[in-house]
Amino acid sequence: VNLAPNFYLARGEMCRTHLALDHSEEAVSCYETLLKHAPPNAETDSNYGVALIRMGKYKMAIATLEKTVRLFPYHAAAYNNLGSAFLRNGQYRRALGPLQRAIELEPEQEQARYNLAVAYLALNHKSAALDQYAILKRTNETSAKALYQLMFGKWLLSAKPE
C-alpha cells in the first residue's frame, strides 16, 4: 500500500484490517486518507463511522453516518451503525428510526435487532425489547443470550436470597 497510496482496493483492505483488529486510531487515519482519494462508497463510509464510534467520537460518527445514509439510502449496515452511534451517545429515541430502517432493509440484520432491543430497554419499552428478543432467539442464540442477560441479569442477581 505504501508503494501505491491511491490504490483504493489495497488501502480499503488495510483499513478494514485495522478495524477488524480493533486498531481504531489506525483505522480512522486510514479511512480519512482513503476518503480523500476514493469515490464515495457505502461500506467505506460506514466503516469509517464504526471506527469513529470505537474511538468515542460519537458526534463525528453521527455526522458521517447521516451523510452515508443520505448517499446510500439502501445500505442497512450504515443505518445500524448510525443507530449504534446514537445509542453510544445516549440518544436512545434517535436510535430507533435508523435501527428500524436497517431491519426494514434487511430483516435478518441481527445486530440491528439487538441494538433496537437495547434502545427499547433504555426507553423502558420492555414489551418491544421482548419482541426483538423473541426474534433473536429463533435466529441467533448467542445474541439472544446476551440480550437476555442485559434484560434480566440484574433482576436475577437481585433475586438471590441473602
Side-chain angles (χ1 to χ4, degrees):
V1 176
N2 288 334
L3 296 175
N6 291 329
F7 186 56
Y8 309 135
L9 296 177
R11 184 160 296 278
E13 192 59 37
M14 186 172 76
C15 297
R16 282 187 296 280
T17 300
H18 283 307
L19 192 61
L21 294 173
D22 209 19
H23 299 160
S24 301
E25 289 184 36
E26 292 90 344
V28 166
S29 177
C30 185
Y31 279 117
E32 286 173 349
T33 300
L34 180 61
L35 292 169
K36 286 179 189 174
H37 302 287
N41 175 285
E43 182 182 348
T44 299
D45 294 359
S46 185
N47 285 346
Y48 176 53
V50 170
L52 291 168
I53 291 168
R54 289 184 182 174
M55 287 192 61
K57 296 182 176 186
Y58 305 127
K59 289 181 182 178
M60 282 181 64
I62 289 167
T64 296
L65 292 163
E66 285 179 330
K67 178 182 173 190
T68 303
V69 298
R70 275 195 309 276
L71 291 173
F72 305 99
Y74 299 102
H75 195 264
Y79 282 100
N80 176 57
N81 295 336
L82 177 57
S84 179
F86 283 131
L87 279 175
R88 296 279 185 96
N89 201 39
Q91 297 176 323
Y92 307 117
R93 259 189 225 300
R94 288 190 70 192
L96 296 177
L99 295 170
Q100 290 165 339
R101 181 67 178 140
I103 294 167
E104 287 172 15
L105 292 170
E106 283 183 25
E108 69 282 356
Q109 176 63 268
E110 293 166 351
Q111 189 61 49
R113 286 196 183 282
Y114 180 90
N115 288 338
L116 183 59
V118 171
Y120 284 141
L121 285 173
L123 294 168
N124 207 28
H125 297 183
K126 294 175 185 168
S127 178
L130 281 171
D131 290 342
Q132 296 307 311
Y133 168 76
I135 295 167
L136 281 174
K137 185 123 174 80
R138 291 190 305 269
T139 61
N140 185 317
E141 189 66 30
T142 303
S143 292
K145 283 181 182 178
L147 184 57
Y148 183 89
Q149 285 297 322
L150 187 63
M151 292 183 343
F152 299 110
K154 290 181 182 176
W155 181 82
L156 290 174
L157 292 175
S158 67
K160 287 184 178 179
E162 291 187 44

